[in-house]
PDB file of all heavy atoms in Angstrom:
ATOM      1  N   ASN A  63      32.404-112.824 100.852  1.00 81.00           N
ATOM      2  CA  ASN A  63      31.331-113.158  99.931  1.00 81.00           C
ATOM      3  C   ASN A  63      31.939-113.670  98.637  1.00 81.00           C
ATOM      4  O   ASN A  63      32.781-113.008  98.033  1.00 81.00           O
ATOM      5  CB  ASN A  63      30.456-111.942  99.651  1.00 81.00           C
ATOM      6  CG  ASN A  63      29.653-111.546 100.862  1.00 81.00           C
ATOM      7  OD1 ASN A  63      29.459-112.337 101.781  1.00 81.00           O
ATOM      8  ND2 ASN A  63      29.183-110.326 100.880  1.00 81.00           N
ATOM      9  N   SER A  64      31.533-114.857  98.245  1.00 78.00           N
ATOM     10  CA  SER A  64      32.123-115.474  97.068  1.00 78.00           C
ATOM     11  C   SER A  64      31.257-116.631  96.599  1.00 78.00           C
ATOM     12  O   SER A  64      30.320-117.034  97.283  1.00 78.00           O
ATOM     13  CB  SER A  64      33.530-115.981  97.396  1.00 78.00           C
ATOM     14  OG  SER A  64      34.135-116.502  96.238  1.00 78.00           O
ATOM     15  N   GLN A  65      31.611-117.163  95.436  1.00 80.00           N
ATOM     16  CA  GLN A  65      30.950-118.353  94.926  1.00 80.00           C
ATOM     17  C   GLN A  65      31.938-119.162  94.107  1.00 80.00           C
ATOM     18  O   GLN A  65      32.907-118.620  93.576  1.00 80.00           O
ATOM     19  CB  GLN A  65      29.727-117.986  94.092  1.00 80.00           C
ATOM     20  CG  GLN A  65      29.999-117.005  92.971  1.00 80.00           C
ATOM     21  CD  GLN A  65      28.720-116.467  92.367  1.00 80.00           C
ATOM     22  OE1 GLN A  65      27.620-116.728  92.852  1.00 80.00           O
ATOM     23  NE2 GLN A  65      28.849-115.711  91.300  1.00 80.00           N
ATOM     24  N   ALA A  66      31.697-120.456  94.031  1.00 79.00           N
ATOM     25  CA  ALA A  66      32.519-121.360  93.230  1.00 79.00           C
ATOM     26  C   ALA A  66      31.583-122.373  92.588  1.00 79.00           C
ATOM     27  O   ALA A  66      30.659-122.867  93.232  1.00 79.00           O
ATOM     28  CB  ALA A  66      33.546-122.060  94.108  1.00 79.00           C
ATOM     29  N   PHE A  67      31.817-122.660  91.303  1.00 83.00           N
ATOM     30  CA  PHE A  67      30.966-123.583  90.564  1.00 83.00           C
ATOM     31  C   PHE A  67      31.798-124.709  89.978  1.00 83.00           C
ATOM     32  O   PHE A  67      32.939-124.494  89.554  1.00 83.00           O
ATOM     33  CB  PHE A  67      30.227-122.852  89.436  1.00 83.00           C
ATOM     34  CG  PHE A  67      29.279-121.823  89.954  1.00 83.00           C
ATOM     35  CD1 PHE A  67      29.654-120.495  90.029  1.00 83.00           C
ATOM     36  CD2 PHE A  67      28.027-122.187  90.400  1.00 83.00           C
ATOM     37  CE1 PHE A  67      28.786-119.539  90.539  1.00 83.00           C
ATOM     38  CE2 PHE A  67      27.156-121.247  90.911  1.00 83.00           C
ATOM     39  CZ  PHE A  67      27.532-119.920  90.982  1.00 83.00           C
ATOM     40  N   SER A  68      31.211-125.905  89.941  1.00 81.00           N
ATOM     41  CA  SER A  68      31.917-127.047  89.365  1.00 81.00           C
ATOM     42  C   SER A  68      32.174-126.773  87.890  1.00 81.00           C
ATOM     43  O   SER A  68      31.349-126.177  87.199  1.00 81.00           O
ATOM     44  CB  SER A  68      31.107-128.328  89.538  1.00 81.00           C
ATOM     45  OG  SER A  68      29.879-128.238  88.835  1.00 81.00           O
ATOM     46  N   VAL A  69      33.331-127.215  87.427  1.00 78.00           N
ATOM     47  CA  VAL A  69      33.653-127.078  86.007  1.00 78.00           C
ATOM     48  C   VAL A  69      32.747-128.010  85.200  1.00 78.00           C
ATOM     49  O   VAL A  69      32.274-127.653  84.125  1.00 78.00           O
ATOM     50  CB  VAL A  69      35.146-127.381  85.772  1.00 78.00           C
ATOM     51  CG1 VAL A  69      35.469-127.452  84.291  1.00 78.00           C
ATOM     52  CG2 VAL A  69      36.010-126.327  86.463  1.00 78.00           C
ATOM     53  N   ASP A  70      32.479-129.196  85.728  1.00 82.00           N
ATOM     54  CA  ASP A  70      31.631-130.179  85.051  1.00 82.00           C
ATOM     55  C   ASP A  70      30.166-129.772  85.187  1.00 82.00           C
ATOM     56  O   ASP A  70      29.643-129.644  86.290  1.00 82.00           O
ATOM     57  CB  ASP A  70      31.860-131.561  85.670  1.00 82.00           C
ATOM     58  CG  ASP A  70      31.216-132.683  84.872  1.00 82.00           C
ATOM     59  OD1 ASP A  70      30.337-132.401  84.027  1.00 82.00           O
ATOM     60  OD2 ASP A  70      31.587-133.841  85.098  1.00 82.00           O
ATOM     61  N   LYS A  71      29.489-129.557  84.059  1.00 86.00           N
ATOM     62  CA  LYS A  71      28.073-129.190  84.062  1.00 86.00           C
ATOM     63  C   LYS A  71      27.228-130.224  83.298  1.00 86.00           C
ATOM     64  O   LYS A  71      26.103-129.947  82.912  1.00 86.00           O
ATOM     65  CB  LYS A  71      27.888-127.802  83.454  1.00 86.00           C
ATOM     66  CG  LYS A  71      28.498-126.711  84.307  1.00 86.00           C
ATOM     67  CD  LYS A  71      28.243-125.356  83.723  1.00 86.00           C
ATOM     68  CE  LYS A  71      28.737-124.202  84.540  1.00 86.00           C
ATOM     69  NZ  LYS A  71      29.726-124.397  85.531  1.00 86.00           N
ATOM     70  N   SER A  72      27.786-131.411  83.099  1.00 86.00           N
ATOM     71  CA  SER A  72      27.123-132.419  82.264  1.00 86.00           C
ATOM     72  C   SER A  72      26.162-133.322  83.027  1.00 86.00           C
ATOM     73  O   SER A  72      25.492-134.144  82.418  1.00 86.00           O
ATOM     74  CB  SER A  72      28.186-133.283  81.576  1.00 86.00           C
ATOM     75  OG  SER A  72      28.910-134.030  82.542  1.00 86.00           O
ATOM     76  N   TRP A  73      26.089-133.194  84.333  1.00 89.00           N
ATOM     77  CA  TRP A  73      25.263-134.097  85.129  1.00 89.00           C
ATOM     78  C   TRP A  73      23.777-133.833  84.896  1.00 89.00           C
ATOM     79  O   TRP A  73      23.351-132.697  84.792  1.00 89.00           O
ATOM     80  CB  TRP A  73      25.581-133.942  86.617  1.00 89.00           C
ATOM     81  CG  TRP A  73      27.025-134.151  86.948  1.00 89.00           C
ATOM     82  CD1 TRP A  73      27.842-135.140  86.490  1.00 89.00           C
ATOM     83  CD2 TRP A  73      27.823-133.343  87.817  1.00 89.00           C
ATOM     84  NE1 TRP A  73      29.098-135.002  87.032  1.00 89.00           N
ATOM     85  CE2 TRP A  73      29.115-133.910  87.842  1.00 89.00           C
ATOM     86  CE3 TRP A  73      27.576-132.203  88.579  1.00 89.00           C
ATOM     87  CZ2 TRP A  73      30.151-133.380  88.596  1.00 89.00           C
ATOM     88  CZ3 TRP A  73      28.613-131.676  89.330  1.00 89.00           C
ATOM     89  CH2 TRP A  73      29.880-132.255  89.333  1.00 89.00           C
ATOM     90  N   SER A  74      22.971-134.886  84.865  1.00 92.00           N
ATOM     91  CA  SER A  74      21.515-134.714  84.708  1.00 92.00           C
ATOM     92  C   SER A  74      20.811-135.170  85.977  1.00 92.00           C
ATOM     93  O   SER A  74      20.615-134.382  86.875  1.00 92.00           O
ATOM     94  CB  SER A  74      21.003-135.434  83.461  1.00 92.00           C
ATOM     95  OG  SER A  74      21.367-136.794  83.479  1.00 92.00           O
ATOM     96  N   ASN A  75      20.423-136.428  86.067  1.00 93.00           N
ATOM     97  CA  ASN A  75      19.775-136.936  87.280  1.00 93.00           C
ATOM     98  C   ASN A  75      20.855-137.337  88.265  1.00 93.00           C
ATOM     99  O   ASN A  75      21.647-138.238  87.995  1.00 93.00           O
ATOM    100  CB  ASN A  75      18.877-138.126  86.941  1.00 93.00           C
ATOM    101  CG  ASN A  75      17.720-137.714  86.054  1.00 93.00           C
ATOM    102  OD1 ASN A  75      17.210-136.605  86.168  1.00 93.00           O
ATOM    103  ND2 ASN A  75      17.311-138.595  85.164  1.00 93.00           N
ATOM    104  N   TYR A  76      20.908-136.655  89.407  1.00 92.00           N
ATOM    105  CA  TYR A  76      21.969-136.924  90.375  1.00 92.00           C
ATOM    106  C   TYR A  76      21.543-136.553  91.785  1.00 92.00           C
ATOM    107  O   TYR A  76      20.539-135.884  92.003  1.00 92.00           O
ATOM    108  CB  TYR A  76      23.270-136.211  90.004  1.00 92.00           C
ATOM    109  CG  TYR A  76      23.230-134.697  89.957  1.00 92.00           C
ATOM    110  CD1 TYR A  76      23.434-133.917  91.087  1.00 92.00           C
ATOM    111  CD2 TYR A  76      23.053-134.026  88.751  1.00 92.00           C
ATOM    112  CE1 TYR A  76      23.446-132.525  91.033  1.00 92.00           C
ATOM    113  CE2 TYR A  76      23.056-132.636  88.677  1.00 92.00           C
ATOM    114  CZ  TYR A  76      23.256-131.891  89.820  1.00 92.00           C
ATOM    115  OH  TYR A  76      23.270-130.524  89.763  1.00 92.00           O
ATOM    116  N   THR A  77      22.360-136.994  92.729  1.00 93.00           N
ATOM    117  CA  THR A  77      22.211-136.597  94.123  1.00 93.00           C
ATOM    118  C   THR A  77      23.485-135.887  94.538  1.00 93.00           C
ATOM    119  O   THR A  77      24.584-136.381  94.306  1.00 93.00           O
ATOM    120  CB  THR A  77      21.970-137.822  95.027  1.00 93.00           C
ATOM    121  OG1 THR A  77      20.718-138.408  94.674  1.00 93.00           O
ATOM    122  CG2 THR A  77      21.937-137.418  96.499  1.00 93.00           C
ATOM    123  N   LEU A  78      23.323-134.732  95.114  1.00 94.00           N
ATOM    124  CA  LEU A  78      24.427-133.960  95.663  1.00 94.00           C
ATOM    125  C   LEU A  78      24.354-134.086  97.174  1.00 94.00           C
ATOM    126  O   LEU A  78      23.317-133.790  97.770  1.00 94.00           O
ATOM    127  CB  LEU A  78      24.303-132.488  95.249  1.00 94.00           C
ATOM    128  CG  LEU A  78      25.173-131.477  96.005  1.00 94.00           C
ATOM    129  CD1 LEU A  78      26.648-131.771  95.811  1.00 94.00           C
ATOM    130  CD2 LEU A  78      24.832-130.056  95.557  1.00 94.00           C
ATOM    131  N   LYS A  79      25.452-134.549  97.770  1.00 94.00           N
ATOM    132  CA  LYS A  79      25.528-134.645  99.224  1.00 94.00           C
ATOM    133  C   LYS A  79      26.696-133.803  99.692  1.00 94.00           C
ATOM    134  O   LYS A  79      27.757-133.818  99.056  1.00 94.00           O
ATOM    135  CB  LYS A  79      25.729-136.095  99.670  1.00 94.00           C
ATOM    136  CG  LYS A  79      24.565-137.008  99.331  1.00 94.00           C
ATOM    137  CD  LYS A  79      24.839-138.435  99.735  1.00 94.00           C
ATOM    138  CE  LYS A  79      24.499-138.602 101.191  1.00 94.00           C
ATOM    139  NZ  LYS A  79      24.454-140.004 101.622  1.00 94.00           N
ATOM    140  N   LEU A  80      26.514-133.081 100.787  1.00 93.00           N
ATOM    141  CA  LEU A  80      27.594-132.301 101.359  1.00 93.00           C
ATOM    142  C   LEU A  80      27.251-131.919 102.784  1.00 93.00           C
ATOM    143  O   LEU A  80      26.101-131.997 103.206  1.00 93.00           O
ATOM    144  CB  LEU A  80      27.868-131.045 100.538  1.00 93.00           C
ATOM    145  CG  LEU A  80      26.819-129.941 100.600  1.00 93.00           C
ATOM    146  CD1 LEU A  80      27.486-128.588 100.439  1.00 93.00           C
ATOM    147  CD2 LEU A  80      25.808-130.132  99.488  1.00 93.00           C
ATOM    148  N   ASP A  81      28.287-131.533 103.502  1.00 94.00           N
ATOM    149  CA  ASP A  81      28.124-130.997 104.847  1.00 94.00           C
ATOM    150  C   ASP A  81      28.437-129.516 104.779  1.00 94.00           C
ATOM    151  O   ASP A  81      29.355-129.101 104.055  1.00 94.00           O
ATOM    152  CB  ASP A  81      29.088-131.682 105.825  1.00 94.00           C
ATOM    153  CG  ASP A  81      28.822-133.174 105.954  1.00 94.00           C
ATOM    154  OD1 ASP A  81      27.664-133.586 105.811  1.00 94.00           O
ATOM    155  OD2 ASP A  81      29.792-133.922 106.178  1.00 94.00           O
ATOM    156  N   MET A  82      27.671-128.707 105.524  1.00 94.00           N
ATOM    157  CA  MET A  82      27.933-127.272 105.518  1.00 94.00           C
ATOM    158  C   MET A  82      27.646-126.650 106.871  1.00 94.00           C
ATOM    159  O   MET A  82      26.828-127.147 107.639  1.00 94.00           O
ATOM    160  CB  MET A  82      27.161-126.577 104.410  1.00 94.00           C
ATOM    161  CG  MET A  82      25.673-126.670 104.474  1.00 94.00           C
ATOM    162  SD  MET A  82      24.992-125.903 102.987  1.00 94.00           S
ATOM    163  CE  MET A  82      23.264-125.976 103.381  1.00 94.00           C
ATOM    164  N   MET A  83      28.381-125.555 107.136  1.00 93.00           N
ATOM    165  CA  MET A  83      28.231-124.846 108.399  1.00 93.00           C
ATOM    166  C   MET A  83      28.657-123.394 108.185  1.00 93.00           C
ATOM    167  O   MET A  83      29.584-123.114 107.427  1.00 93.00           O
ATOM    168  CB  MET A  83      29.137-125.470 109.465  1.00 93.00           C
ATOM    169  CG  MET A  83      29.206-124.665 110.754  1.00 93.00           C
ATOM    170  SD  MET A  83      30.270-125.390 112.042  1.00 93.00           S
ATOM    171  CE  MET A  83      31.885-125.265 111.317  1.00 93.00           C
ATOM    172  N   CYS A  84      27.977-122.482 108.866  1.00 91.00           N
ATOM    173  CA  CYS A  84      28.385-121.081 108.891  1.00 91.00           C
ATOM    174  C   CYS A  84      28.757-120.689 110.313  1.00 91.00           C
ATOM    175  O   CYS A  84      28.122-121.123 111.273  1.00 91.00           O
ATOM    176  CB  CYS A  84      27.268-120.168 108.406  1.00 91.00           C
ATOM    177  SG  CYS A  84      27.173-120.058 106.630  1.00 91.00           S
ATOM    178  N   ILE A  85      29.780-119.867 110.415  1.00 91.00           N
ATOM    179  CA  ILE A  85      30.206-119.295 111.692  1.00 91.00           C
ATOM    180  C   ILE A  85      29.811-117.817 111.665  1.00 91.00           C
ATOM    181  O   ILE A  85      30.190-117.101 110.739  1.00 91.00           O
ATOM    182  CB  ILE A  85      31.739-119.410 111.874  1.00 91.00           C
ATOM    183  CG1 ILE A  85      32.215-120.849 111.726  1.00 91.00           C
ATOM    184  CG2 ILE A  85      32.190-118.775 113.180  1.00 91.00           C
ATOM    185  CD1 ILE A  85      31.864-121.758 112.853  1.00 91.00           C
ATOM    186  N   SER A  86      29.048-117.381 112.643  1.00 88.00           N
ATOM    187  CA  SER A  86      28.633-115.975 112.748  1.00 88.00           C
ATOM    188  C   SER A  86      27.964-115.462 111.479  1.00 88.00           C
ATOM    189  O   SER A  86      28.163-114.322 111.081  1.00 88.00           O
ATOM    190  CB  SER A  86      29.835-115.083 113.099  1.00 88.00           C
ATOM    191  OG  SER A  86      30.406-115.492 114.314  1.00 88.00           O
ATOM    192  N   ALA A  87      27.196-116.318 110.819  1.00 85.00           N
ATOM    193  CA  ALA A  87      26.469-115.933 109.606  1.00 85.00           C
ATOM    194  C   ALA A  87      25.193-116.758 109.508  1.00 85.00           C
ATOM    195  O   ALA A  87      25.092-117.828 110.108  1.00 85.00           O
ATOM    196  CB  ALA A  87      27.338-116.141 108.375  1.00 85.00           C
TER     197      ALA A  87
END
Side-chain angles (χ1 to χ4, degrees):
N63 291 341
S64 184
Q65 54 192 6
F67 296 97
S68 63
V69 172
D70 190 343
K71 293 183 176 19
S72 65
W73 304 315
S74 55
N75 295 326
Y76 62 86
T77 295
L78 166 62
K79 296 177 84 168
L80 71 149
D81 297 329
M82 61 185 186
M83 171 180 66
C84 278
I85 305 288
S86 301

